[in-house]
């Protein structure tokens, strides 16, 4: 009977359900927009790089695989009353440093993130909720200031850094000597990036763990698999897609990160070389070289992405968002596990959360030069925040950010809904391509996007409203739309495929056009997913770093009242330019105050988005 009913239902379904004009518009509008505003600029990088003689990149300045690269990796010096340990890392050239450093950061972040995810997601123990909250803290982005605080904790200092100060408090009474441990150069960059990026692996692994059916774990336990054997044979294979997806994102973030190289003054990184181009953008002689470096960075990001592309697709993401049919309730952690949790996992998570905590403390301080910050007196605790309101350049950056965000979010809402709905419902040529391209911006380094936009629009739209030299704000908004569109597309796609398609088919069979079906049926059912995606897109527009500090800096520094830079550009300027003095406090303290405002917005938006969506979806979206 069912076999006879199915063809009948297919005949009753309107013929235009598959290729009506509305679905054609919904599918091809975002597809063409992405091709124009994302793919075309990337192709100009390839064309520009073709002018470069790549043999120049084979010199030791760019690639240095010799043992000399490790000659200053670590040095130990004994001074009167002090043992000094300098951890400098290696210098394998611009390209070698970037690749090897990213690989080290990715491996460390994968190990830490997956371990913390298994501990929190698989076991129940006292303090678990606190550990879970602390693991999320590094996700509150405080660009540049958190790297500055890390330098205060672990980097070079005229006196003691915080780590050396705490160690010496123990060694001085016991042995009569201070122990100074300082991280600088590549080692400082790797340490900072690992602590900043490991939560990316953590949230993806935890979301993957949330899809594991309790039946599988219970059967393994009944057959005698416990402890490490259970984790190795059952849990790790099941969450490996999430670990791989998070690891690839960490690798890409490490490739493009410019904050840590700036703060730790390690400039032989590809990201810093591309960033430096925008500081002297009038010199076009270096454009082929920067294009070549951008192309290499794009290829380095694309290779691991291609290897695990099915784990970054919209459909895999939606499966994570649905969760397991019967979630696992957790095992009790034994004595050895408790020791590992409290003596290993907790110190690592606390260390990773310490920079964000330090940023908050610095925001209420006069300065932080030695091992500890110099707090403002109780009556002047909010001086840094008040001073920001009196700095015209900072106020302008806040105005720019809000304006850019409001402009971008309108187009993100339209294109994001169209792409998410069309990818879920369309059965036309190009649907699979839209699925791929709508996630691609997450995997392309932001500095590559910034350089490609500058070259593309300065070349083909010179003198128009899209010329980045004349109107950098317009190009910046377009970059924000493309870079943050995937968050909304993912949320809409997940909400749509979890909505019964039979409701739409019933409306269509009664004569309703797709536009009315979307307005009366789809939108009331998916608005939570759309709003959650828009909230996340909005907050990541505000906290965007790579394109903000490059394209946003084309009209001067925050000293100018008419600059085009957003909030993150102002934070960079305050963090790195000690000449900006106002209110009698350190510029970095005012940068921290501005970062605290940004972190508060991020925390509120992430919490709201998590409440609007399912737990797994919120975790993966971040």
């Amino acid at each position: 009977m069912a076999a006879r009913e199915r063809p009948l239902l297919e005949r009753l379904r309107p013929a235009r359900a598959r290729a009506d004009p509305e679905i054609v518009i919904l599918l091809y509008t975002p597809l063409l927009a992405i091709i124009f505003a994302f793919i075309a600029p990337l192709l100009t990088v390839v064309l520009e790089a073709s002018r470069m003689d790549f043999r120049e990149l084979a010199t030791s300045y760019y690639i240095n695989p010799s043992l000399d690269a490790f000659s200053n990796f670590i040095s130990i010096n004994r001074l009167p009353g002090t043992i000094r340990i300098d951890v400098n890392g290696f210098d394998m050239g611009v390209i070698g440093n970037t690749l090897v450093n990213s690989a080290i950061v990715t491996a460390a972040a994968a190990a830490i993130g997956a371990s913390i995810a298994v501990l929190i997601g698989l076991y129940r123990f006292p303090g678990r909720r606190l550990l879970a909250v602390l693991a999320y803290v590094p996700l509150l982005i405080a660009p540049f200031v958190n790297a500055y605080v890390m330098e205060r904790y672990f980097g070079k200092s005229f006196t003691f850094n915080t780590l050396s100060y705490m160690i010496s408090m123990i060694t001085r009474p016991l042995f009569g000597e201070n122990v100074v441990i300082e991280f600088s150069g590549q080692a400082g960059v790797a340490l900072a990036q690992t602590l900043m990026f490991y939560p990316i692996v953590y949230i993806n692994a935890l979301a993957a763990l949330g899809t594991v059916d309790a039946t599988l774990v219970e059967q393994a336990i009944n057959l005698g698999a416990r402890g490490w054997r259970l984790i190795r044979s059952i849990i790790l294979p099941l969450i490996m897609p999430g670990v791989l997806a998070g690891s690839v994102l960490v690798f890409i973030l490490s490739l493009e990160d410019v904050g840590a190289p700036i703060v730790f003054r390690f400039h032989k990184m590809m990201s810093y070389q591309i960033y430096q181009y925008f500081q002297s953008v009038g010199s076009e002689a270096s454009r082929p070289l920067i294009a070549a470096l951008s192309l290499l960075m794009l290829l380095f990001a694309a290779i691991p992405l291609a290897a695990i592309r099915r784990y970054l697709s919209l459909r895999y993401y939606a499966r994570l968002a649905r969760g397991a049919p019967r979630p696992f309730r957790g095992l009790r952690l034994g004595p050895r596990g408790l020791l590992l949790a409290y003596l290993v996992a907790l110190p690592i998570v606390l260390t990773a959360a310490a920079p964000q905590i330090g940023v908050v403390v610095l925001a209420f301080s006069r300065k932080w030069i030695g091992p500890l910050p110099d707090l403002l007196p109780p009556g002047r605790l909010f001086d840094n925040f008040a001073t920001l309101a009196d700095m015209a350049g900072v106020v302008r950056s806040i105005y720019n950010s809000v304006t850019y965000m409001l402009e971008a979010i309108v187009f993100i809402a339209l294109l994001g809904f169209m792409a998410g709905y069309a990818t879920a419902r369309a059965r036309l040529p190009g649907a699979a391509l839209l699925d791929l391209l709508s996630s691609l911006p997450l995997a392309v380094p932001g500095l590559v996007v910034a350089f490609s936009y500058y070259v593309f629009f300065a070349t083909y739209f010179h003198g128009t409203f899209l010329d980045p030299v004349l109107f950098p704000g317009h190009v910046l908004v377009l970059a924000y739309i493309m870079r943050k569109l995937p968050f909304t597309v993912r949320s809409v796609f997940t909400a749509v495929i979890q909505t019964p398609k039979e409701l739409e088919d019933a409306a269509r069979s009664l004569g309703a056009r797709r536009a009315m079906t979307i307005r009366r049926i789809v939108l009331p059912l998916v608005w939570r997913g759309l709003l959650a995606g828009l909230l996340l897109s909005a907050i990541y527009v505000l906290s965007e770093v790579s394109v903000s500090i490059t394209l946003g800096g084309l009209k001067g520094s925050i000293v100018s009242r008419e600059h085009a830079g957003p909030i993150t550009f102002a934070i960079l300027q305050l963090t790195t330019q000690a000449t900006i003095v106002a209110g009698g406090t350190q510029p970095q303290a005012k940068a921290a105050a501005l970062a605290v405002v940004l972190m508060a917005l991020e925390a509120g938006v992430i919490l709201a988005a998590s409440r609007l969506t399912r737990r797994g979806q919120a975790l993966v979206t971040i």
Side-chain angles (χ1 to χ4, degrees):
M1 182 67 181
R4 294 179 181 178
E5 290 179 354
R6 185 174 180 182
L8 177 61
L9 291 175
E10 292 292 334
R11 288 196 298 270
L12 290 176
R13 184 176 299 169
R16 66 176 185 272
R18 289 175 176 264
D20 54 90
E22 290 97 334
I23 197 65
V24 171
I25 294 173
L26 291 171
L27 174 62
Y28 293 113
T29 298
L31 183 59
L32 292 175
I34 294 173
I35 290 174
F36 165 74
F38 193 76
I39 301 301
L42 292 179
L43 292 177
T44 60
V45 174
V46 178
L47 294 175
E48 195 69 33
S50 64
R51 297 167 48 198
M52 175 69 183
D53 184 358
F54 279 82
R55 289 176 296 183
E56 295 181 22
L57 300 180
T59 62
S60 60
Y61 181 79
Y62 292 99
I63 301 177
N64 180 22
S66 68
L67 294 178
D68 292 339
F70 301 88
S71 61
N72 197 32
F73 189 89
I74 186 171
S75 62
I76 302 175
N77 299 299
R78 193 179 189 92
L79 304 174
T82 302
I83 299 175
R84 187 180 188 89
I85 303 174
D86 294 312
V87 185
N88 304 301
F90 49 78
D91 183 2
M92 301 181 67
V94 172
I95 298 174
N97 290 336
T98 302
L99 272 180
V100 178
N101 178 78
S102 296
I104 292 172
V105 169
T106 302
I112 295 172
S115 301
I116 301 298
V118 170
L119 178 64
I120 292 175
L122 190 62
Y123 293 99
R124 300 292 180 267
F125 57 92
R128 173 183 169 274
R129 289 185 180 275
L130 174 63
L131 196 66
V133 170
L134 289 173
Y136 276 103
V137 171
L139 292 173
L140 301 177
I141 302 171
F144 306 107
V145 194
N146 60 345
Y148 174 81
V149 172
M150 286 188 197
E151 189 189 33
R152 297 298 93 207
Y153 284 151
F154 310 110
K156 288 187 177 295
S157 175
F158 291 111
T159 55
F160 287 103
N161 59 34
T162 305
L163 175 64
S164 302
Y165 179 77
M166 295 174 65
I167 293 175
S168 296
M169 287 179 64
I170 300 173
T171 60
R172 194 184 305 115
L174 293 178
F175 308 109
E177 288 188 316
N178 297 319
V179 175
V180 177
I181 303 177
E182 295 182 340
F183 288 81
S184 63
Q186 180 274 327
V189 172
L191 177 63
Q193 290 181 348
T194 300
L195 296 180
M196 285 190 292
F197 299 146
Y198 92 85
I200 303 297
V201 178
Y202 163 74
I203 57 177
N204 280 275
L206 192 64
L209 191 58
T211 67
V212 176
D213 194 336
T215 305
L216 297 175
V217 181
E218 292 167 355
Q219 289 178 347
I221 293 174
N222 291 335
L223 293 173
R226 295 180 181 274
W228 171 241
R229 184 179 179 186
L230 173 67
I231 294 172
R232 185 186 72 249
S233 58
I234 303 296
I235 302 301
L236 283 181
L238 292 174
I239 69 170
M240 190 55 65
V243 175
L244 290 175
S247 298
V248 168
L249 293 178
V250 169
F251 184 79
I252 295 169
L253 289 172
S254 178
L255 281 177
E256 73 159 343
D257 177 53
V258 72
I262 288 175
V263 173
F264 282 91
R265 293 175 290 278
F266 187 63
H267 298 164
K268 293 181 72 173
M269 301 284 283
M270 293 171 68
S271 59
Y272 186 84
Q273 301 295 314
I274 298 173
Y275 162 75
Q276 189 63 27
Y277 170 79
F278 286 89
Q279 308 310 299
S280 56
V281 77
S283 174
E284 298 303 308
S286 60
R287 184 188 285 189
L289 171 62
I290 302 304
L293 292 177
S294 299
L295 179 60
L296 287 176
M297 183 180 286
L298 182 61
L299 292 176
F300 295 154
I303 291 172
L305 174 67
I308 66 154
R309 58 190 171 91
R310 69 177 182 275
Y311 298 140
L312 294 178
S313 68
L314 292 176
R315 298 190 182 278
Y316 175 76
Y317 167 77
R319 184 173 69 83
L320 287 181
R322 284 195 293 268
R326 189 163 70 88
F328 187 64
R329 296 301 178 186
L331 300 170
R332 295 188 63 180
L333 200 58
R336 287 185 297 179
L338 288 173
L339 286 175
L340 287 174
Y342 297 139
L343 298 182
V344 178
L346 183 59
I348 291 175
V349 172
L350 278 173
T351 302
Q356 272 66 21
I357 298 172
V359 169
V360 176
V361 174
L362 180 57
F364 298 94
S365 302
R366 180 181 291 107
K367 61 182 179 179
W368 190 347
I369 298 176
L372 299 174
D374 180 11
L375 292 175
L376 287 164
R380 297 179 53 200
L381 277 179
F382 294 92
D383 276 13
N384 288 317
F385 295 90
T387 303
L388 291 176
D390 296 330
M391 300 178 67
V394 173
V395 173
R396 176 71 183 186
S397 70
I398 296 173
Y399 171 81
N400 288 342
S401 283
V402 174
T403 303
Y404 297 157
M405 184 266 291
L406 292 176
E407 292 175 357
I409 209 67
V410 172
F411 292 96
I412 290 175
L414 292 173
L415 294 175
F417 178 80
M418 296 169 84
Y421 179 84
T423 306
R425 293 291 190 248
R427 298 295 180 267
L428 295 172
L433 180 61
L434 181 60
D435 183 350
L436 173 65
L437 295 184
S438 61
S439 296
L440 188 62
L442 288 175
V444 176
L447 288 171
V448 176
V449 174
F451 178 76
S452 68
Y453 267 49
Y454 177 78
V455 174
F456 178 73
F457 289 105
T459 302
Y460 299 105
F461 293 86
H462 180 70
T464 70
F465 71 99
L466 285 178
D467 188 335
V469 177
L470 299 177
F471 302 101
H474 297 167
V475 180
L476 200 53
V477 169
L478 191 57
Y480 287 153
I481 295 169
M482 290 296 108
R483 290 267 290 160
K484 308 309 173 186
L485 182 64
F487 296 109
T488 299
V489 175
R490 283 180 164 196
S491 293
V492 172
F493 177 87
T494 300
V496 170
I497 67 170
Q498 292 177 359
T499 301
K501 190 174 183 297
E502 290 76 11
L503 298 177
E504 297 177 58
D505 292 339
R508 301 297 306 286
S509 66
L510 294 173
R513 296 188 64 84
R514 189 177 294 273
M516 179 179 289
T517 303
I518 291 174
R519 185 175 70 254
R520 300 288 296 273
I521 295 176
V522 177
L523 282 176
L525 293 174
V526 307
W527 71 269
R528 288 179 177 271
L530 175 60
L531 181 57
L534 288 176
L535 286 173
L536 288 167
S537 295
I539 198 59
Y540 290 135
V541 165
L542 291 177
S543 58
E544 166 65 36
V545 174
S546 300
V547 298
S548 297
I549 65 173
T550 48
L551 297 175
L554 291 177
K555 290 192 74 173
S557 71
I558 62 171
V559 175
S560 169
R561 293 172 179 263
E562 302 301 323
H563 72 88
I567 289 177
T568 49
F569 176 72
I571 293 175
L572 170 64
Q573 295 267 293
L574 289 169
T575 303
T576 58
Q577 295 188 11
T579 56
I580 303 175
V581 179
T585 58
Q586 186 182 23
Q588 288 81 3
K590 289 182 279 292
L594 191 56
V596 166
V597 175
L598 184 60
M599 289 166 61
L601 289 173
E602 291 168 357
V605 169
I606 290 173
L607 179 62
S610 299
R611 290 183 178 275
L612 284 169
T613 57
R614 295 190 177 191
R615 174 175 175 268
Q617 182 175 345
L619 287 172
V620 180
T621 302
I622 294 173

